[in-house]
Amino acid sequence: MAKDVIIACDFPGRQQTLGFLDAFEGHRKPFVKIGMELFYAEGPDIVRELRRRGHPVFLDLKLHDIPNTVRKAMHVLSALDVDIVNVHAAGTIEMMRAALEGLTRPDGTRPLLIAVTQLTSTSEERMQQELLIGAGINDTIVKYAQNAKEAGLDGVVCSPLEAAMVKTACGPDFLTVTPGIRFADAAKDDQVRITTPARAREIGSDYIVVGRPVTAAPDPVAAYDRCLNEFLNCQQTSFRA
Ligand code: C5P
């Protein structure tokens, strides 16, 4: 199964994004994540441009709406030739099935579709007190992952700390894409459920999503290489399946 580091390009516009990626000229082309900020600012052209430059793209728009709207939106996104797209599992199994339908091209091909379980910035306390979800956060994450699997999705976005339990509940081939990554010697920022690249790999992450530890680093290429080394050169310990 592919293992890779995805850089979250959380920049306000095209100029900053391309300026950042220019530093990787002559280097391994990083897998990049385009999120809401950049997509809403620049539209589909920025996706086409990064694909043209040879970057694999995770289009992180976290769709969450009625099934018919999500189906039609996914149909539009499937034409952009990206590698991964996502929805919120909270939108229900029916919505996730509609997303998959909309994404699938006439020839049967499609980008990978994954679901967000609980945002890594959400604590159990907030989930219970503000959202009135009475279950524990781990039970919620496992249930959302099982729903995504039932709908036919390829995997979930979750905290690296939850990757092992998702693999245990949904099988080793069910992808775990995990933000909330920090170097051992760095600040947490607004993230709550975090760990290091090496530990994420040990627990069972397939792809780690890294934003500020790379984009805000004094030397982003060196920070990216450090992530790659810690993540790819570390042996995954076994998980129950
Ligand atoms: O800068 P940082 O490494 O915290 O960036 C993490 C990225 O992953 C951000 O783009 C954020 O939107 C995204 N993300 C997340 N938690 C999720 C899903 C996506 O942090 N559950």
Side-chain angles (χ1 to χ4, degrees):
M1 188 181 293
K3 299 273 177 185
D4 211 343
V5 172
I6 303 177
I7 301 180
C9 288
D10 294 326
F11 295 110
R14 177 181 183 278
Q15 201 188 337
Q16 298 87 338
T17 306
L18 299 185
F20 168 76
L21 290 174
D22 280 346
F24 290 84
E25 196 62 46
H27 198 271
R28 182 182 197 268
K29 290 267 179 211
F31 203 129
V32 295
K33 180 172 88 68
I34 299 175
M36 295 182 201
E37 182 185 12
L38 184 57
F39 190 80
Y40 291 151
E42 300 291 347
D45 279 349
I46 187 71
V47 179
R48 294 188 190 102
E49 178 141 15
L50 295 184
R51 290 291 298 126
R52 221 174 13 248
R53 286 176 164 226
H55 293 279
V57 172
F58 168 19
L59 188 54
D60 178 23
L61 299 181
K62 300 187 181 73
L63 275 67
H64 186 175
D65 209 316
I66 59 171
N68 188 47
T69 300
V70 170
R71 180 188 297 105
K72 291 196 282 191
M74 281 296 181
H75 181 68
V76 175
L77 296 183
S78 84
L80 287 177
D81 186 33
V82 295
D83 299 272
I84 307 178
V85 293
N86 61 356
V87 291
H88 268 285
T92 76
I93 293 173
E94 188 191 353
M95 188 208 74
M96 289 191 274
R97 285 200 176 116
L100 204 57
E101 275 172 33
L103 203 59
T104 307
R105 305 181 186 107
D107 65 0
T109 62
R110 62 169 176 81
L112 293 171
L113 178 60
I114 60 179
V116 176
T117 53
Q118 285 290 349
L119 296 173
T120 46
S121 53
T122 304
S123 64
E124 180 167 76
E125 190 184 19
R126 284 202 171 159
M127 186 193 78
Q128 293 179 338
Q129 289 178 5
E130 293 180 21
L131 307 180
L132 298 183
I133 295 174
I137 198 156
N138 287 349
D139 290 343
T140 313
I141 288 159
V142 165
K143 179 64 177 154
Y144 284 13
Q146 288 169 326
N147 288 353
K149 188 172 184 191
E150 191 177 330
L153 272 61
D154 303 294
V156 289
V157 185
C158 62
S159 151
L161 303 175
E162 290 128 21
M165 68 187 190
V166 167
K167 294 278 189 184
T168 300
C170 300
D173 295 335
F174 194 67
L175 292 175
T176 53
V177 178
T178 65
I181 301 292
R182 289 295 179 268
F183 292 123
D185 49 7
K188 284 171 73 167
D189 302 309
D190 54 349
Q191 296 284 19
V192 177
R193 305 191 314 277
I194 58 167
T195 194
T196 61
R199 184 75 190 123
R201 175 64 187 268
E202 283 168 12
I203 303 170
S205 296
D206 295 301
Y207 293 91
I208 52 171
V209 176
V210 188
R212 288 161 288 182
V214 171
T215 57
D219 182 346
V221 178
Y224 172 67
D225 283 343
R226 180 179 173 190
C227 267
L228 277 178
N229 281 328
E230 288 190 17
F231 186 62
L232 298 181
N233 297 334
C234 164
Q235 282 305 306
Q236 186 179 332
T237 54
S238 62
F239 46 80
R240 288 173 295 130

